[in-house]
Amino acid sequence: MHERELKQVLDQWVGRDVVLTKQEDGDIDQTVMSLEHVTYVERGETIDGYVASRTLQLRGEGTVQTARGERQPLPFARYDIPLTDNCHIQHNQNTVLIETERAEYTVTPCTSI
């Protein structure tokens, strides 16, 4: 799946709540967001390569589940997914999977919170 197709799928979920799950180094973070807008941000190359030059940005109010199981507000009303040349994107039914060198992101529309 190409990035353009990914945006088309996510644009269909605008106005709905989505669950974003990030798995990185054995740690799992979960965010629930009321999806308002989807866009790509081009940053250009960075000196150290730590920040991705392209980012998928999901905007909307949301909450992050903490390690203690508590829900805290999303700090900036957005969720950034860094995209690299080697990322792999899949879509099936109601799930989007984005695998990068550092993490795996799953986005699904909510049926209930």
Side-chain angles (χ1 to χ4, degrees):
M1 172 181 256
H2 296 283
E3 291 176 14
R4 179 176 37 96
E5 295 167 308
L6 171 62
K7 185 173 180 332
Q8 290 172 344
V9 169
L10 294 175
D11 280 342
Q12 293 176 12
W13 298 345
V14 168
R16 297 178 67 184
D17 288 342
V18 296
V19 177
L20 301 121
T21 305
K22 175 184 175 187
Q23 295 182 357
E24 180 178 24
D25 295 331
D27 185 36
I28 298 175
D29 298 323
Q30 188 175 70
T31 300
V32 176
M33 168 187 277
S34 178
L35 187 59
E36 297 172 4
H37 186 68
V38 179
T39 189
Y40 286 105
V41 176
E42 296 282 338
R43 293 191 174 108
E45 295 300 320
T46 60
I47 293 172
D48 61 5
Y50 183 75
V51 178
S53 61
R54 289 185 340 271
T55 302
L56 174 65
Q57 193 171 83
L58 308 176
R59 291 190 168 270
E61 297 296 323
T63 58
V64 177
Q65 185 169 346
T66 67
R68 298 170 127 187
E70 302 169 341
R71 292 224 167 257
Q72 297 294 323
L74 198 58
F76 300 106
R78 75 172 194 247
Y79 191 97
D80 292 343
I81 299 176
L83 301 174
T84 61
D85 292 335
N86 297 328
C87 70
H88 182 70
I89 304 168
Q90 295 179 12
H91 171 249
N92 60 20
Q93 205 64 16
N94 284 323
T95 302
V96 169
L97 175 66
I98 303 168
E99 295 175 293
T100 69
E101 291 89 0
R102 294 185 183 168
E104 181 178 287
Y105 301 86
T106 305
V107 185
T108 56
C110 286
T111 53
S112 64
I113 299 177

